[in-house]
Amino acid sequence: LVLSSILILLGLYIGNYIDKNLFSQIHQWAWTSLIMLIYIIISVIIVSKYLQIFSKYDRKTSIFSAAPGALGPLMILAEDEKTDLSQVATSHLIRLIIITVFPFIVNSFYEVESIKVAEEVLKNQNYFHLIILIIFSIILIYFFDKIKIPAALLSGTLFASGFLQITEIATFQFSSNIIDYCLLILGASVGCRFANKTFGEIGRNALHSFVATLLLVLLGFIAAFVAGLIIDKNFFTLLLSYCPGGIYEVAVIAIFFDLDPEFVSFHHIIRLLMILFIVPIMLKIIGKKT
């Protein structure tokens, strides 16, 4: 019950990204978004195949582990599909560790003219809107569960949040303290899945996860190069847009180095939404073949 409540709150938090502003910008970066879609599909196919062959992951686990980013939502989907969360978590955590090297690379090749610090103060929140969001989310979760939509907890909440915000019926921005608490509970839940794992198993998973991450970085480099042929943008901005990291970690790097944070954030939000759309489709195709 506690974990389900936490997942609803995280779903509402992710749903904050789905608003009119997001849709109003899509036409401006249509080609780079299309490259993102192709990049995700190719990445999942190649990296999941690698993990199946060399790391002996089952098909579902390999797909969740191969997706370039979106750790939180993917853990929710993986939980719903009863896959090995320890293997999925290891793959994505290794990925986040490697992304921390990116600022040193940028600092070596890119002149930083100014450093910006973004701080958002949340106040005058309408708690009645929060109640509307939660009630509408629960209704859609129940409905989605009845019609067998994958990960009803997440998909129902995302749909509810996105719809209510786009129509301007209700919106609510959670403070970082609440999200930190939610991530603490989710992290504890994931960490418990390592209970029956040996250090040898985790070590093997980490090694193959490292290779899988290098493959994703290489594919992201190629995607950034192709995007650079279409749109006039700083290469590091494009590389950051396609790197397989988390939204928050990458956004902080973009803000710090003034690498067009809006462009970078947009593409990571689009990637998150695409992954949430593509992964369930792939799982359905696998299910039908099985």
Side-chain angles (χ1 to χ4, degrees), residues 45 64 76 163 184 225 229 240 253 260 282 290:
I45 292 172
F64 285 121
I76 299 171
F163 174 78
L184 176 69
F225 177 78
L229 300 175
L240 201 55
I253 296 172
D260 202 341
M282 287 187 164
T290 305

Side-chain angles (χ1 to χ4, degrees), residues 125-280:
Q125 294 277 44
N126 190 329
Y127 288 94
F128 181 66
H129 283 190
L130 176 60
I131 294 171
I132 294 173
L133 281 163
I134 292 173
I135 292 174
F136 194 44
S137 296
I138 292 172
I139 292 171
L140 281 183
I141 288 168
Y142 178 79
F143 178 70
F144 281 12
D145 185 57
K146 287 294 182 183
I147 61 177
K148 307 298 181 185
I149 290 180
L153 263 174
L154 180 63
S155 54
T157 308
L158 279 176
F159 188 90
S161 181
F163 174 78
L164 290 174
Q165 288 192 111
I166 290 171
T167 55
E168 299 181 350
I169 295 174
T171 181
F172 192 90
Q173 189 77 31
F174 291 97
S175 72
S176 59
N177 292 335
I178 294 175
I179 299 307
D180 286 344
Y181 174 74
C182 292
L183 293 175
L184 176 69
I185 300 298
L186 182 61
S189 174
V190 172
C192 290
R193 305 311 172 97
F194 286 87
N196 297 320
K197 299 290 179 180
T198 65
F199 281 108
E201 286 179 301
I202 295 172
R204 284 193 297 274
N205 289 343
L207 174 63
H208 291 297
S209 297
F210 181 79
V211 176
T213 299
L214 291 181
L215 287 173
L216 287 172
V217 170
L218 177 61
L219 291 168
F221 187 91
I222 294 170
F225 177 78
V226 173
L229 300 175
I230 298 172
I231 188 171
D232 183 23
K233 283 283 181 184
N234 181 295
F235 180 73
F236 284 109
T237 298
L238 293 171
L239 187 58
L240 201 55
S241 299
Y242 291 102
C243 76
I247 290 177
Y248 317 113
E249 294 80 10
V250 172
V252 168
I253 296 172
I255 291 168
F256 187 86
F257 288 102
D258 196 20
L259 290 170
D260 202 341
E262 187 180 39
F263 180 87
V264 173
S265 299
F266 170 84
H267 283 78
H268 277 268
I269 294 165
I270 284 293
R271 185 187 64 185
L272 187 150
L273 297 176
M274 286 178 176
I275 288 173
L276 292 178
F277 176 73
I278 291 168
V279 169

